[in-house]
Amino acid sequence: MATYNKRGYKAPKEKEEKDSTYIEDVKVDEKDSTTAGVFNSLDETASKTEDWVAKNQKYIFGVVAAIALVTVSYLLYQKFIVQPKEDEAATEIFEAQQNFQKAVDATTNADSLFNVCLKGAKGSLGFVEIADKFSGTSAGNLANYYAGICYLNTGKYAEAITSLENFKSEDMILSVLAVGAVGDAYAQKKQFNEALESYVKASEMNKNDMTTPRFLQKAGQTALALGKKADALKYFTEIKEKYESSPEGSAIDALIGLAQ
C-alpha cells in the first residue's frame, strides 16, 4: 500500500491556478472590451463627420472659395491700387514740403508762402488737395498735419483745428506736436479751457525731454491765465523736478514764483 508523509503534504494548487488564470482572462477581456468601445466611438464620430462633410461639401467649398477670393482680391488691390496711389501721393507731397520749408525759413511774405503750401501753385498740389485726393494714404494723412500748421500760421484757427484733428500718427514726436498745435489754435481763439486740455494731453503723451517740458510750460502758463494757480504750480514743478536741464527749465523758478 502506498504511503505519504502527511507533515509535508500540501494541497494541490491546480484549482487556484485555474481560478487565477480565469481572473486574468476576465481582466483582459474587460480591457479589450473598453478599448473596442473607444474605437467604436471614434469610428461612429468619424462616420458622422464624414456624413456631415458629404452633405455640406458645397457649402464648405463655397466658404473656402470665398476666403481665397477675398485674399487674392486684397493682394491685387494692394498691389495695383493702394501702392500706386501711395507712390503718387508721396511724389505730390514732396514739392509741397519744399514750399513749406521755404515758408518756415522766410523772414518776409511768410503768409503768402504758407498759402501756396495750402493751395499749391504751377501745376503742383497743395496740402489741402493732397489730403483730400489721397485720403487713406500715408502722404494724405501727413498732409493734414502740414495743412493744420499752415492754417495756424495764417490765422485760420478753426481750419487748423480741423486739419490737425484729422491727422493720425503713431510717431512719438509728430503726434504730440499735432495735439500741442491744437492747443495753440484754441489759445489764439481765446478758448483757454480747451487750450489747457490740449496742452495737458500733449504733455502726457510719449514723455520725452523735448516736447514734454514745452507743453508743461504752456499748460502752466494757460492755467495761470485761467487763475488756476495750483494747477500751474503742479506743471511748473514737474519741469523743475524732471526737466530742469531743458530750455524751459532755465526760467522755471520765475514761473514757480508766479504760481505760488
Side-chain angles (χ1 to χ4, degrees):
M1 182 175 65
T3 60
Y4 56 89
N5 189 346
K6 288 185 178 180
R7 183 178 295 178
Y9 175 76
K10 293 183 180 180
K13 297 182 179 180
E14 181 179 352
K15 184 176 181 180
E16 291 180 2
E17 291 174 356
K18 182 178 181 180
D19 291 343
S20 175
T21 303
Y22 172 76
I23 292 171
E24 290 178 359
D25 289 343
V26 170
K27 289 182 178 179
V28 170
D29 289 344
E30 289 177 351
K31 183 177 180 182
D32 289 344
S33 177
T34 302
T35 303
V38 171
F39 281 112
N40 287 336
S41 178
L42 291 174
D43 287 341
E44 290 177 4
T45 302
S47 179
K48 290 179 180 179
T49 302
E50 290 172 358
D51 290 343
W52 185 88
V53 171
K55 291 178 181 179
N56 297 277
Q57 58 181 332
K58 289 184 178 180
Y59 171 77
I60 294 170
F61 291 150
V63 171
V64 172
I67 293 173
L69 179 61
V70 169
T71 302
V72 171
S73 298
Y74 173 77
L75 294 174
L76 291 174
Y77 176 77
Q78 290 292 319
K79 182 176 181 179
F80 295 106
I81 303 297
V82 174
Q83 192 56 52
K85 191 175 181 181
E86 286 279 3
D87 294 340
E88 185 181 356
T91 300
E92 290 291 349
I93 201 173
F94 177 76
E95 187 169 349
Q97 287 173 315
Q98 302 304 305
N99 291 331
F100 179 84
Q101 191 59 50
K102 292 177 183 177
V104 170
D105 295 338
T107 55
T108 59
N109 299 320
D111 283 2
S112 62
L113 291 173
F114 279 121
N115 279 317
V116 169
C117 295
L118 285 166
K119 300 175 182 178
K122 297 179 181 179
S124 64
L125 301 181
F127 291 125
V128 174
E129 190 171 355
I130 293 171
D132 179 60
K133 183 177 180 179
F134 299 101
S135 175
T137 67
S138 297
N141 178 52
L142 186 59
N144 283 311
Y145 173 79
Y146 279 111
I149 301 302
C150 290
Y151 280 131
L152 186 61
N153 280 279
T154 54
K156 298 177 180 178
Y157 305 120
E159 292 87 341
I161 292 169
T162 298
S163 292
L164 290 166
E165 288 182 342
N166 285 334
F167 172 68
K168 309 297 179 185
S169 176
E170 294 181 0
D171 184 272
M172 291 185 64
I173 301 300
L174 211 56
S175 59
V176 178
L177 293 177
V179 173
V182 170
D184 291 340
Y186 277 124
Q188 292 295 329
K189 286 164 63 74
K190 310 299 182 185
Q191 295 178 234
F192 296 115
N193 283 309
E194 290 81 355
L196 178 59
E197 182 179 347
S198 295
Y199 289 144
V200 171
K201 181 179 178 181
S203 72
E204 293 174 345
M205 293 171 61
N206 304 324
K207 288 183 177 291
N208 60 82
D209 293 338
M210 185 182 82
T211 63
T212 303
R214 175 180 177 180
F215 292 115
L216 279 172
Q217 184 183 76
K218 289 192 175 190
Q221 291 170 326
T222 305
L224 277 179
L226 290 168
K228 299 179 178 181
K229 285 192 171 185
D231 289 339
L233 181 60
K234 179 178 69 174
Y235 304 135
F236 294 147
T237 300
E238 186 173 348
I239 296 174
K240 174 75 174 177
E241 293 177 348
K242 298 180 180 180
Y243 305 100
E244 191 171 12
S245 60
S246 67
E248 291 76 14
S250 62
I252 199 62
D253 288 334
L255 290 173
I256 289 175
L258 291 174
Q260 288 176 332

